[in-house]
Amino acid sequence: MEEIKPYTSLEEAMRELDNGGRFYNLFTEAQDEVITPAELSKVSGVFLTKQKMILFLEMALCRLDEKAKAEVLSKLDDRLQLDYQNYKPLQISVSEAIQVHSSSNIILTGTPKPNTSKSALEGFVLIPFGKTFMLIPTVDLYDIYELTDEQTAEKLLIAHSKRSVKLPEQKLMVGGIWKQFPAPSDKDQASTPDVLERLTSKQSGKRYLEIHYFIA
């Protein structure tokens, strides 16, 4: 997971985002007032993953006023405009996020606290292996945290990659993707695509917000 330093002005945002792409992006041009996927990929460091790029963009723009943000978004090319509409993150409370369907981009604010309870650690992650999927325990890949809704006391579990630095226990804005992980009862099954569909349905498994970015 990476820390994002949000843009503080329209000028800064356009300078960073309208960057011409990498040297091999021959058909992009810096400071032409058009922001392309190649340019957003360069500044976000994300390749090919549209959903994650849009999550980065929304969080990077979060401290601009509405007029400045709208001006930046108006410069997105047609492809990014469509991606933004498809993957625009929901900025909501913990209790609201619990009701949202899996695979959505979500941005939350709260203080993450480590959760090592057995129930929090019981999920599994599907890893492609040939034409099937292996089920790897969540705790082998992630540290598990929880965010608590200050109004309702409801809790939401966060899956944070072990390859990243530990999350500080302070108030943060975090952005990630709701993931539906298989339940322990599924761990001995050979996961073919049709089984995968069942395992990742809303009725099966444990849900975690897989975190990709945070703002301190």
Side-chain angles (χ1 to χ4, degrees), residues 174-191:
V174 296
I177 302 172
W178 258 127
K179 292 290 183 73
Q180 188 86 22
F181 294 163
S185 58
D186 301 310
K187 67 181 179 179
D188 296 324
Q189 298 187 38
S191 300

Side-chain angles (χ1 to χ4, degrees), residues 90-126:
L90 301 171
Q91 297 193 47
I92 51 183
S93 68
V94 169
S95 58
E96 291 171 324
I98 293 170
Q99 308 303 319
V100 174
H101 64 78
S102 298
S103 79
S104 297
N105 268 347
I106 295 179
I107 298 173
L108 303 172
T109 298
T111 301
K113 296 185 180 297
N115 187 325
T116 58
S117 68
K118 183 177 179 180
S119 62
L121 305 178
E122 66 183 5
F124 285 79
V125 182
L126 288 160

Side-chain angles (χ1 to χ4, degrees), residues 11 20 27 42-43 49 62 64 86 92 104 110-111 117 135 144 153 160 163 172 180 182 193 200 206:
E11 293 72 23
F27 301 105
K42 179 182 177 180
V43 72
T49 310
C62 72
L64 296 184
N86 287 336
I92 51 183
S104 297
T111 301
S117 68
L135 290 171
I144 305 301
H160 176 246
R163 293 178 295 178
L172 303 173
Q180 188 86 22
T200 56
K206 182 172 286 292

Side-chain angles (χ1 to χ4, degrees), residues 2 4-5 27 33 35 49 53 61 73 104 125 158 170 173-174 176 201 203:
E2 300 177 22
I4 291 178
K5 300 294 185 183
F27 301 105
E33 296 200 352
I35 301 170
T49 310
M53 283 201 299
L61 300 179
L73 294 178
S104 297
V125 182
I158 290 175
Q170 65 184 67
M173 177 183 286
V174 296
S201 71
Q203 289 74 38

